Amino acid sequence: QVQLVESGGGLVQAGGSLRLSCAASGRAFSTYAMAWFRQAPGKEREFVAANSWRGGRTYYAESVKGRFTISRDNAKNTVYLQMNSLNPDDTAVYYCAADQGVTWPTIVVVTKYDYWGQGTQVTVSS
């Protein structure tokens, strides 16, 4: 069982930056693939970024490539999402997700993750 708690969301102006954190409880954090998804009002939850177990590979949605960076600190059981050059289209609730068995290509699929955080709101003003 893994519990995930996100933090770091907030209100930022367009062009600004935020760093989200997701702290995981439970054992064997390094054996979990970790990902960030987001959900804007009236839209489906969508993939943002993922980091394979042990952090070997990273994957990004085209819409955030070059602006967002996912990283993990296995010693702290934490995964991060550094978000730069934010724009109003990035406004959403951001969710952290974890799963032991997911790999490419299904690492980008919402339904493949067993564990989810409660979400943190990111609002980008124009």
Side-chain angles (χ1 to χ4, degrees):
Q1 191 79 8
V2 174
Q3 291 184 328
L4 305 173
V5 179
E6 301 100 333
S7 61
L11 174 64
V12 63
Q13 288 188 333
S17 299
L18 282 174
R19 188 176 84 153
L20 306 183
S21 299
C22 173
S25 64
R27 297 183 292 179
F29 174 76
S30 65
T31 67
Y32 284 78
M34 300 297 298
W36 290 93
F37 291 80
R38 66 187 182 186
Q39 189 166 16
K43 296 187 177 181
E44 294 187 352
R45 194 168 298 188
E46 65 175 7
F47 171 76
V48 175
N51 187 289
S52 64
W53 74 283
R54 296 193 185 276
R57 291 181 179 268
T58 56
Y59 307 90
Y60 295 94
E62 285 298 321
S63 60
V64 307
K65 202 172 286 186
R67 301 188 298 123
F68 290 11
T69 302
I70 187 172
S71 61
R72 67 193 294 164
D73 185 336
N74 287 335
K76 296 182 177 180
N77 280 16
T78 301
V79 64
Y80 304 96
L81 185 68
Q82 177 66 44
M83 304 186 296
N84 299 328
S85 301
L86 286 161
N87 62 65
D89 290 339
D90 296 316
T91 294
V93 177
Y94 283 71
Y95 296 92
C96 175
D99 193 88
Q100 277 189 308
V102 68
T103 59
W104 178 260
T106 55
I107 201 169
V108 305
V109 178
V110 170
T111 56
K112 295 299 183 181
Y113 287 82
D114 286 337
Y115 303 103
W116 291 86
Q118 82 288 351
T120 186
Q121 177 71 48
V122 172
T123 303
V124 185
S125 63
S126 57

